[in-house]
Amino acid sequence: MSRHADANEEAILTCAATPLSDDEFEVLDAHSAELGGGFAIRRALPLRERRMIGPFCFLDHIGPAVVGPNGASLSIAPHPHIGLQTVTWLLDGAVLHKDSLGYVQEIRPGQLNVMTSGRGISHSEETPDGLVGRMHGVQLWVALPEADRRCEPRFEHHANVPTFTKDAIEGAVFCGTWQGHTAPGTHFSELVAMDLRVGAGESTLPLESTFEHGLIVLEGAIEVGGRALGVGELLYLRPGRASVCVQASADARVCLVGGRPFGESILMWWNYVARTRDEIVEARHQWEHTEHFGTVDGWGDRRLTAPTVLPAGPRG
Ligand code: MN
């Protein structure tokens, strides 16, 4: 995904661990936005009040939308990334990924795509030809730590991830480790991301207590600690919790992310995660004027144009 389908200018966003409030449960509203092609998204990270959860600096809930001849269609032309990993996980539908390493990979529900941009990669994401039906999923961006952020780019597709049952929850671990279940993707810091099918009743999930966590509802509604949580909200849980109790009166679908609070302050601009403005300006130049990010086959001259770099601003 790209942070903006089409923008002429963009301010650099500073992202760091947020000072903790006294609230045990912090509920924030996600941004609503349009990804282009008729796809509504809810962006739960970065928010003004909370920019990161562990190493996660971007969390898009995409759809659900109906794709087909008269419906929505995803068509994100080639664009560059540095300093982050993109993690794609679908509940319904399919997305076709193509990148500058030459990978052409369709992803379906239950499968996992992890793209490590490192020093630079470009890719496109689109609805596969002929796909008809519902499209629904998430894309997360994981900031790379200083030691690894200039690594060689790589792309991984995994056909399966570990699943588990706990109380009324059937879960799939698609990033990191939860209770001995380890997702197959390569990561560079301690983290977890899970897709939870929550059934009616009360379910208690053990948590890694050194992690901070966030929950977003993808379908239905749940209650945590007496707080109702619906689609379009982010529930933040501070480090120090050994578990979370999720209540539901009907089936719901939830994405839970977590990680050790990220020890570095990062800069986000467009599709880049960096540490300095100069790096961002250089990587913008590399996309617009050099071959640094390679090319993605099948798009001809179509590619996203980088916005102008504005100084740090209040957006977010
Ligand atoms: Mn992207």
Coordinates of all heavy atoms in Angstrom, one line a residue, residues 113-178:
N113 N 2.1 -12.4 3.2 CA 3.2 -11.7 2.4 C 4.0 -10.8 3.4 O 3.3 -10.0 4.0 CB 2.6 -10.9 1.3 CG 2.3 -11.7 0.0 OD1 2.5 -12.9 0.0 ND2 1.8 -11.0 -1.0
V114 N 5.3 -11.0 3.4 CA 6.1 -10.1 4.1 C 7.2 -9.5 3.2 O 8.0 -10.3 2.6 CB 6.8 -10.8 5.3 CG1 7.8 -9.8 6.0 CG2 5.8 -11.4 6.3
M115 N 7.2 -8.2 3.0 CA 8.2 -7.6 2.1 C 9.1 -6.7 2.9 O 8.6 -5.8 3.6 CB 7.5 -6.7 1.0 CG 8.4 -6.1 0.0 SD 7.6 -5.1 -1.2 CE 7.3 -3.6 -0.3
T116 N 10.4 -7.0 2.9 CA 11.3 -6.2 3.7 C 12.0 -5.3 2.7 O 12.7 -5.7 1.8 CB 12.4 -7.2 4.3 OG1 11.7 -8.1 5.1 CG2 13.4 -6.4 5.1
S117 N 11.7 -4.0 2.9 CA 12.2 -3.0 1.9 C 13.7 -2.7 2.1 O 14.4 -2.5 1.2 CB 11.4 -1.7 2.0 OG 11.6 -1.1 3.3
G118 N 14.1 -2.7 3.4 CA 15.5 -2.4 3.7 C 16.0 -1.1 3.0 O 15.3 -0.1 3.1
R119 N 17.1 -1.2 2.2 CA 17.6 0.0 1.6 C 16.8 0.5 0.4 O 17.0 1.6 -0.1 CB 19.0 -0.3 1.1 CG 19.2 -1.3 0.0 CD 20.6 -1.6 -0.3 NE 20.7 -2.4 -1.5 CZ 20.6 -1.9 -2.8 NH1 20.5 -0.6 -2.9 NH2 20.7 -2.7 -3.8
G120 N 15.8 -0.4 -0.1 CA 15.0 0.1 -1.2 C 14.4 -1.0 -2.0 O 15.1 -1.9 -2.5
I121 N 13.1 -0.9 -2.2 CA 12.4 -1.8 -3.1 C 11.2 -1.1 -3.7 O 10.8 -0.1 -3.1 CB 11.9 -3.1 -2.4 CG1 11.5 -4.2 -3.3 CG2 10.8 -2.8 -1.4 CD1 11.2 -5.6 -2.6
S122 N 10.7 -1.4 -4.9 CA 9.4 -0.9 -5.3 C 8.5 -2.0 -5.7 O 8.9 -3.1 -6.0 CB 9.6 0.0 -6.6 OG 10.3 -0.7 -7.6
H123 N 7.2 -1.8 -5.5 CA 6.2 -2.8 -5.8 C 4.9 -2.2 -6.2 O 4.7 -1.0 -6.0 CB 6.0 -3.7 -4.5 CG 5.3 -3.2 -3.4 ND1 4.4 -3.9 -2.6 CD2 5.2 -1.9 -2.9 CE1 3.9 -3.1 -1.7 NE2 4.3 -1.9 -1.8
S124 N 4.0 -3.1 -6.7 CA 2.6 -2.7 -7.0 C 1.7 -3.7 -6.3 O 2.1 -4.8 -6.0 CB 2.4 -2.7 -8.5 OG 2.6 -4.0 -9.0
E125 N 0.5 -3.2 -6.1 CA -0.6 -4.1 -5.5 C -1.9 -3.8 -6.2 O -2.3 -2.7 -6.4 CB -0.7 -3.8 -4.0 CG 0.5 -4.2 -3.2 CD 0.6 -3.5 -1.9 OE1 0.8 -2.3 -1.9 OE2 0.6 -4.2 -0.8
E126 N -2.5 -4.9 -6.7 CA -3.7 -4.8 -7.5 C -4.6 -6.0 -7.3 O -4.2 -7.0 -6.9 CB -3.3 -4.6 -9.0 CG -2.6 -5.9 -9.5 CD -1.9 -5.7 -10.9 OE1 -2.6 -5.3 -11.8 OE2 -0.7 -5.8 -10.9
T127 N -5.9 -5.7 -7.7 CA -6.9 -6.8 -7.8 C -6.5 -7.7 -8.9 O -6.4 -7.2 -10.1 CB -8.3 -6.2 -7.9 OG1 -8.5 -5.3 -6.8 CG2 -9.3 -7.3 -8.0
P128 N -6.4 -9.0 -8.7 CA -6.1 -9.9 -9.8 C -7.2 -9.9 -10.9 O -8.4 -9.7 -10.5 CB -6.1 -11.3 -9.2 CG -5.9 -11.1 -7.7 CD -6.5 -9.7 -7.4
D129 N -6.9 -10.0 -12.1 CA -7.9 -10.1 -13.2 C -8.9 -11.1 -12.9 O -8.6 -12.2 -12.5 CB -7.2 -10.4 -14.6 CG -6.5 -9.3 -15.2 OD1 -6.7 -8.1 -14.7 OD2 -5.6 -9.5 -16.1
G130 N -10.2 -10.8 -13.1 CA -11.2 -11.7 -13.0 C -11.8 -12.0 -11.6 O -12.7 -12.8 -11.4
L131 N -11.1 -11.4 -10.6 CA -11.6 -11.6 -9.2 C -13.0 -10.9 -9.1 O -13.2 -9.7 -9.4 CB -10.6 -11.0 -8.2 CG -11.0 -11.3 -6.8 CD1 -10.7 -12.7 -6.4 CD2 -10.2 -10.4 -5.8
V132 N -13.9 -11.7 -8.5 CA -15.2 -11.1 -8.2 C -15.6 -11.6 -6.8 O -15.3 -12.7 -6.4 CB -16.3 -11.7 -9.2 CG1 -17.7 -11.2 -8.8 CG2 -16.0 -11.3 -10.6
G133 N -16.1 -10.7 -6.0 CA -16.5 -11.0 -4.7 C -16.0 -10.0 -3.6 O -15.6 -8.9 -4.0
R134 N -15.9 -10.5 -2.4 CA -15.6 -9.6 -1.3 C -14.0 -9.5 -1.2 O -13.3 -10.5 -1.3 CB -16.1 -10.2 0.0 CG -16.8 -9.2 0.9 CD -17.6 -9.9 1.9 NE -16.8 -10.2 3.1 CZ -17.0 -9.6 4.3 NH1 -18.0 -8.7 4.5 NH2 -16.3 -9.9 5.4
M135 N -13.5 -8.3 -0.9 CA -12.1 -8.1 -0.6 C -12.1 -7.4 0.8 O -12.7 -6.4 1.0 CB -11.6 -7.1 -1.6 CG -10.2 -7.4 -2.2 SD -8.9 -7.8 -1.1 CE -8.3 -6.2 -0.7
H136 N -11.2 -8.0 1.6 CA -11.2 -7.5 3.0 C -9.8 -7.9 3.6 O -9.4 -9.1 3.4 CB -12.3 -8.2 3.8 CG -12.5 -7.6 5.2 ND1 -13.3 -8.2 6.1 CD2 -12.1 -6.4 5.7 CE1 -13.4 -7.4 7.2 NE2 -12.7 -6.3 7.0
G137 N -9.1 -7.0 4.2 CA -7.8 -7.4 4.8 C -7.1 -6.3 5.6 O -7.8 -5.2 5.9
V138 N -5.9 -6.5 5.9 CA -5.1 -5.5 6.6 C -3.7 -5.5 6.0 O -3.2 -6.4 5.4 CB -4.9 -5.8 8.1 CG1 -6.2 -5.7 8.9 CG2 -4.3 -7.2 8.4
Q139 N -3.1 -4.3 6.1 CA -1.7 -4.2 5.8 C -1.1 -3.4 6.9 O -1.5 -2.3 7.3 CB -1.4 -3.5 4.5 CG 0.1 -3.6 4.2 CD 0.6 -3.1 2.9 OE1 0.9 -2.0 2.7 NE2 0.6 -4.1 1.9
L140 N 0.0 -4.0 7.4 CA 0.8 -3.4 8.5 C 2.2 -3.1 8.0 O 2.7 -3.8 7.2 CB 0.9 -4.4 9.7 CG -0.4 -4.9 10.3 CD1 -1.1 -6.0 9.5 CD2 -0.1 -5.5 11.7
W141 N 2.7 -2.0 8.5 CA 4.1 -1.7 8.3 C 4.9 -1.8 9.6 O 4.4 -1.3 10.7 CB 4.3 -0.2 7.8 CG 3.7 0.0 6.4 CD1 3.1 -1.0 5.6 CD2 3.7 1.2 5.7 NE1 2.7 -0.4 4.4 CE2 3.1 1.0 4.4 CE3 4.2 2.5 5.9 CZ2 2.9 2.0 3.5 CZ3 4.0 3.5 5.0 CH2 3.4 3.2 3.8
V142 N 6.0 -2.5 9.5 CA 6.9 -2.7 10.7 C 8.2 -1.9 10.5 O 8.9 -2.1 9.5 CB 7.2 -4.2 10.8 CG1 8.1 -4.5 12.0 CG2 6.0 -5.1 10.9
A143 N 8.5 -1.0 11.3 CA 9.7 -0.2 11.2 C 10.9 -1.1 11.5 O 10.9 -1.9 12.4 CB 9.7 1.0 12.2
L144 N 11.9 -0.9 10.7 CA 13.1 -1.7 10.9 C 14.0 -1.0 11.9 O 14.2 0.2 11.8 CB 13.9 -1.9 9.6 CG 13.2 -2.9 8.6 CD1 13.8 -2.8 7.2 CD2 13.1 -4.3 9.1
P145 N 14.7 -1.7 12.8 CA 15.6 -1.1 13.7 C 16.8 -0.6 13.0 O 17.2 -1.1 11.9 CB 15.9 -2.2 14.8 CG 15.4 -3.5 14.2 CD 14.5 -3.2 13.1
E146 N 17.6 0.3 13.7 CA 18.7 0.9 13.1 C 19.7 -0.1 12.5 O 20.2 0.1 11.4 CB 19.5 1.7 14.2 CG 20.8 2.4 13.8 CD 20.6 3.4 12.6 OE1 19.5 4.0 12.5 OE2 21.5 3.5 11.8
A147 N 20.0 -1.2 13.2 CA 21.0 -2.2 12.7 C 20.6 -2.9 11.4 O 21.4 -3.4 10.7 CB 21.2 -3.2 13.8
D148 N 19.3 -2.9 11.1 CA 18.8 -3.7 10.0 C 18.1 -2.9 8.9 O 17.8 -3.4 7.9 CB 17.8 -4.7 10.5 CG 18.4 -5.6 11.5 OD1 19.3 -6.4 11.2 OD2 18.0 -5.5 12.7
R149 N 18.0 -1.6 9.1 CA 17.1 -0.8 8.2 C 17.7 -0.6 6.8 O 17.0 -0.2 5.9 CB 16.7 0.5 8.8 CG 17.8 1.5 9.0 CD 17.3 2.6 9.9 NE 18.3 3.7 10.1 CZ 18.3 4.8 9.3 NH1 17.4 4.9 8.3 NH2 19.2 5.7 9.5
R150 N 19.0 -0.8 6.6 CA 19.6 -0.7 5.3 C 19.9 -2.1 4.7 O 20.7 -2.2 3.8 CB 20.9 0.1 5.4 CG 20.6 1.6 5.8 CD 22.0 2.3 5.9 NE 21.9 3.6 6.6 CZ 21.9 3.7 7.9 NH1 22.0 2.7 8.7 NH2 21.7 4.9 8.5
C151 N 19.2 -3.1 5.2 CA 19.5 -4.5 4.6 C 19.1 -4.6 3.2 O 18.3 -3.7 2.7 CB 18.8 -5.5 5.5 SG 17.0 -5.4 5.4
E152 N 19.5 -5.7 2.6 CA 19.0 -5.9 1.2 C 17.5 -6.2 1.2 O 17.1 -6.9 2.1 CB 19.8 -7.2 0.6 CG 21.3 -6.9 0.3 CD 21.4 -5.7 -0.7 OE1 20.8 -5.8 -1.8 OE2 22.2 -4.8 -0.4
P153 N 16.8 -5.8 0.2 CA 15.4 -6.0 0.1 C 15.1 -7.5 -0.1 O 15.9 -8.2 -0.7 CB 14.9 -5.2 -1.1 CG 16.1 -5.0 -1.9 CD 17.3 -5.0 -1.0
R154 N 14.0 -8.0 0.4 CA 13.5 -9.4 0.2 C 12.0 -9.4 0.3 O 11.4 -8.6 0.9 CB 14.2 -10.3 1.2 CG 13.6 -10.2 2.6 CD 14.1 -11.4 3.4 NE 15.3 -11.1 4.2 CZ 15.8 -11.9 5.1 NH1 15.2 -13.0 5.5 NH2 16.8 -11.6 5.8
F155 N 11.5 -10.5 -0.4 CA 10.1 -10.7 -0.4 C 9.8 -12.2 0.0 O 10.5 -13.1 -0.4 CB 9.5 -10.4 -1.8 CG 8.0 -10.8 -1.8 CD1 7.1 -9.9 -1.3 CD2 7.6 -12.0 -2.4 CE1 5.7 -10.3 -1.3 CE2 6.2 -12.3 -2.4 CZ 5.3 -11.5 -1.9
E156 N 8.9 -12.4 0.9 CA 8.5 -13.7 1.3 C 7.0 -13.9 1.2 O 6.2 -13.1 1.6 CB 8.8 -13.9 2.8 CG 10.2 -13.7 3.2 CD 10.4 -13.6 4.7 OE1 10.0 -14.6 5.5 OE2 10.9 -12.6 5.2
H157 N 6.6 -15.1 0.6 CA 5.2 -15.5 0.6 C 5.2 -16.8 1.4 O 6.0 -17.7 1.2 CB 4.7 -15.7 -0.8 CG 3.3 -16.3 -0.8 ND1 2.2 -15.5 -0.7 CD2 2.9 -17.6 -1.0 CE1 1.1 -16.3 -0.8 NE2 1.5 -17.5 -1.0
H158 N 4.2 -16.9 2.3 CA 4.1 -18.1 3.1 C 2.6 -18.6 2.9 O 1.7 -17.9 3.1 CB 4.4 -17.9 4.6 CG 5.8 -17.4 4.8 ND1 6.9 -18.3 4.8 CD2 6.3 -16.2 5.0 CE1 8.0 -17.6 5.0 NE2 7.7 -16.3 5.1
A159 N 2.5 -19.9 2.6 CA 1.2 -20.5 2.3 C 0.3 -20.7 3.6 O -0.9 -20.8 3.5 CB 1.3 -21.8 1.6
N160 N 1.0 -20.8 4.7 CA 0.3 -21.1 6.0 C 0.9 -20.4 7.1 O 2.1 -20.1 7.1 CB 0.4 -22.6 6.3 CG -0.4 -23.4 5.3 OD1 -1.6 -23.4 5.3 ND2 0.3 -24.1 4.5
V161 N 0.1 -20.1 8.2 CA 0.6 -19.6 9.4 C 0.1 -20.5 10.6 O -1.0 -21.1 10.4 CB 0.3 -18.1 9.6 CG1 0.7 -17.3 8.5 CG2 -1.2 -17.9 9.9
P162 N 0.7 -20.4 11.8 CA 0.1 -21.3 12.8 C -1.2 -20.7 13.4 O -1.5 -19.5 13.4 CB 1.2 -21.2 13.9 CG 2.2 -20.1 13.5 CD 1.9 -19.8 12.1
T163 N -2.1 -21.7 13.7 CA -3.4 -21.3 14.3 C -3.5 -22.0 15.7 O -2.8 -22.9 16.0 CB -4.5 -21.8 13.4 OG1 -4.4 -23.3 13.2 CG2 -4.4 -21.2 12.0
F164 N -4.5 -21.4 16.4 CA -4.7 -22.0 17.8 C -6.2 -21.7 18.2 O -6.9 -20.9 17.5 CB -3.8 -21.3 18.8 CG -4.1 -19.8 18.9 CD1 -5.0 -19.3 19.9 CD2 -3.4 -18.9 18.1 CE1 -5.2 -18.0 20.0 CE2 -3.7 -17.5 18.3 CZ -4.6 -17.1 19.2
T165 N -6.6 -22.4 19.2 CA -7.9 -22.2 19.8 C -7.7 -21.9 21.3 O -6.9 -22.6 22.0 CB -8.8 -23.4 19.7 OG1 -9.0 -23.7 18.3 CG2 -10.2 -23.2 20.2
K166 N -8.4 -20.8 21.7 CA -8.3 -20.5 23.2 C -9.7 -19.9 23.6 O -10.1 -18.9 23.0 CB -7.2 -19.4 23.4 CG -7.1 -18.9 24.8 CD -6.6 -19.9 25.8 CE -6.3 -19.4 27.2 NZ -7.6 -19.0 27.9
D167 N -10.3 -20.6 24.5 CA -11.7 -20.3 24.9 C -12.6 -20.2 23.6 O -12.6 -21.1 22.8 CB -11.7 -19.0 25.7 CG -10.9 -19.1 27.0 OD1 -10.7 -20.3 27.4 OD2 -10.4 -18.1 27.5
A168 N -13.2 -19.0 23.4 CA -14.1 -18.9 22.2 C -13.4 -18.2 21.0 O -14.0 -17.7 20.1 CB -15.3 -18.1 22.6
I169 N -12.0 -18.2 21.1 CA -11.3 -17.6 20.0 C -10.5 -18.7 19.2 O -9.9 -19.6 19.7 CB -10.2 -16.6 20.6 CG1 -11.0 -15.4 21.1 CG2 -9.2 -16.2 19.6 CD1 -10.1 -14.4 21.8
E170 N -10.6 -18.5 17.9 CA -9.8 -19.2 16.9 C -8.8 -18.2 16.3 O -9.3 -17.2 15.7 CB -10.6 -19.9 15.8 CG -11.3 -21.1 16.3 CD -12.2 -21.7 15.2 OE1 -11.7 -21.7 14.0 OE2 -13.3 -22.2 15.5
G171 N -7.5 -18.4 16.6 CA -6.6 -17.4 16.2 C -5.6 -17.9 15.1 O -5.3 -19.1 15.0
A172 N -5.0 -16.9 14.4 CA -3.9 -17.2 13.5 C -2.8 -16.2 13.8 O -3.1 -15.0 13.8 CB -4.4 -17.1 12.0
V173 N -1.6 -16.7 14.0 CA -0.5 -15.8 14.3 C 0.2 -15.5 13.0 O 0.8 -16.4 12.4 CB 0.5 -16.5 15.3 CG1 1.7 -15.6 15.6 CG2 -0.2 -17.0 16.6
F174 N 0.2 -14.3 12.5 CA 0.8 -14.0 11.2 C 2.1 -13.1 11.3 O 2.7 -12.9 10.3 CB -0.2 -13.5 10.2 CG -0.9 -12.2 10.5 CD1 -0.3 -11.0 10.1 CD2 -2.1 -12.1 11.2 CE1 -0.9 -9.8 10.3 CE2 -2.7 -10.9 11.4 CZ -2.1 -9.7 11.0
C175 N 2.4 -12.6 12.5 CA 3.7 -12.0 12.7 C 4.2 -12.4 14.1 O 3.5 -12.4 15.1 CB 3.6 -10.5 12.8 SG 3.4 -9.6 11.3
G176 N 5.5 -12.7 14.2 CA 6.1 -12.9 15.5 C 5.6 -14.2 16.2 O 5.3 -15.2 15.5
T177 N 5.6 -14.1 17.5 CA 5.4 -15.3 18.3 C 4.3 -15.0 19.4 O 4.3 -13.9 20.0 CB 6.7 -15.7 19.0 OG1 7.6 -16.1 18.0 CG2 6.4 -16.9 19.9
W178 N 3.4 -15.9 19.6 CA 2.4 -15.8 20.7 C 2.3 -17.2 21.3 O 2.0 -18.2 20.6 CB 1.0 -15.4 20.2 CG 0.0 -15.3 21.3 CD1 -0.1 -14.3 22.2 CD2 -0.9 -16.3 21.6 NE1 -1.2 -14.6 23.1 CE2 -1.7 -15.9 22.8 CE3 -1.2 -17.6 21.1 CZ2 -2.7 -16.6 23.4 CZ3 -2.2 -18.3 21.7 CH2 -2.9 -17.8 22.8

